[in-house]
Amino acid sequence: MSQDTITKFDMYQAAIPASVRVLTNLRAIIEKAESWAAEKSVDQAVVLNARLALDMFPFVRQVQIATDTAKGIAARLAGIEVPSYEDNEATFEELYARIDKTLAFVKSVKPEQFDGAETREVVLTFRGNSTYFTGLTFLTTRALPNLFFHTTAAYAILRHSGVPVGKADFLGPQG
C-alpha cells in the first residue's frame, strides 16, 4: 500500500471496543484490590484514597475520570449528550456500579451513530477555555490517551500499595 492511499478509519471500532476492554479490565483490577484489602485487613477507604504523589488525584478519582472519559468518547463521537455522574463513590461497590453503568452506556451506542464521527466537531471546555477538535483528532490525541493515562494511574496506585496486579491484569485476557 502506498503512502498516498487513504483508507477509511473505523471510529466506532477504534473507540468502543477499546473503551469496553479498558473498563472491564479496570473492574477486574478493582476486584483484586478489594480481595487484597480484605485479606490484609486494609480499610477500603485507605485504598480508595491512595495516591502516588501528593499532587496527584487519589485512586477513586482516577477511576471516576477513566469512566468519564469512556462515556465522553462514546457520547461525543455519536453526537449525543454525555451522561453526568455525581463523583461521590466511596466504596468498591460504588465504583463497580459506576463502571457497570458506564459500560452499559458505552455498549448502548450503535455503530451507525458514529457515521461522520471522524469529522464531527468536538468541543471540550475546561476552566472556561474551549478547545475544538475533529472527532478523529479528539479520539486519537486526547480521549484514548486520557483513558489510558487515568487507568494506568489507577493501576499504578494499586500496584504501589501492594495489590498483586501485573501487566496481564492491565491488558486483560487475550482475544
Side-chain angles (χ1 to χ4, degrees), residues 40-115:
K40 300 292 184 186
S41 299
V42 176
D43 186 319
Q44 68 179 309
V46 171
V47 178
L48 296 175
N49 292 301
R51 42 179 100 220
L52 291 175
L54 294 175
D55 65 345
M56 286 183 71
F57 287 128
F59 175 77
V60 68
R61 186 72 185 124
Q62 301 292 347
V63 174
Q64 291 167 343
I65 294 171
T67 56
D68 285 347
T69 301
K71 65 188 169 86
I73 289 170
R76 289 183 177 101
L77 294 176
I80 59 178
E81 188 172 333
V82 180
S84 179
Y85 299 168
E86 291 186 35
D87 295 338
N88 59 1
E89 291 79 18
T91 66
F92 289 120
E93 284 302 318
E94 291 171 348
L95 285 180
Y96 299 143
R98 183 184 180 107
I99 291 170
D100 293 345
K101 179 171 48 172
T102 304
L103 281 166
F105 171 73
V106 169
K107 291 176 180 180
S108 77
V109 178
K110 304 294 180 225
E112 54 272 11
Q113 290 176 275
F114 273 60
D115 289 348

Side-chain angles (χ1 to χ4, degrees), residues 5-170:
T5 303
I6 298 174
T7 58
K8 182 167 174 38
F9 185 80
D10 189 330
M11 294 287 287
Y12 180 88
Q13 287 301 319
I16 299 303
S19 296
V20 167
R21 184 176 181 96
V22 166
L23 292 182
T24 300
N25 295 346
L26 179 58
R27 192 183 196 292
I29 289 169
I30 296 170
E31 289 170 357
K32 280 193 165 191
E34 182 179 29
S35 294
W36 172 84
E39 178 184 309
K40 300 292 184 186
S41 299
V42 176
D43 186 319
Q44 68 179 309
V46 171
V47 178
L48 296 175
N49 292 301
R51 42 179 100 220
L52 291 175
L54 294 175
D55 65 345
M56 286 183 71
F57 287 128
F59 175 77
V60 68
R61 186 72 185 124
Q62 301 292 347
V63 174
Q64 291 167 343
I65 294 171
T67 56
D68 285 347
T69 301
K71 65 188 169 86
I73 289 170
R76 289 183 177 101
L77 294 176
I80 59 178
E81 188 172 333
V82 180
S84 179
Y85 299 168
E86 291 186 35
D87 295 338
N88 59 1
E89 291 79 18
T91 66
F92 289 120
E93 284 302 318
E94 291 171 348
L95 285 180
Y96 299 143
R98 183 184 180 107
I99 291 170
D100 293 345
K101 179 171 48 172
T102 304
L103 281 166
F105 171 73
V106 169
K107 291 176 180 180
S108 77
V109 178
K110 304 294 180 225
E112 54 272 11
Q113 290 176 275
F114 273 60
D115 289 348
E118 59 277 353
T119 58
R120 183 171 288 133
E121 183 178 67
V122 175
V123 182
L124 297 181
T125 303
F126 184 69
R127 296 183 181 163
N129 296 314
S130 295
T131 305
Y132 298 82
F133 300 92
T134 63
L136 180 60
T137 302
F138 164 72
L139 179 65
T140 60
T141 68
R142 179 63 177 233
L144 286 176
N146 197 52
L147 177 61
F148 290 125
F149 175 86
H150 289 286
T151 304
T152 300
Y155 162 86
I157 289 167
L158 294 180
R159 185 71 184 103
H160 180 73
S161 297
V163 177
V165 293
K167 183 178 179 181
D169 297 298
F170 183 84

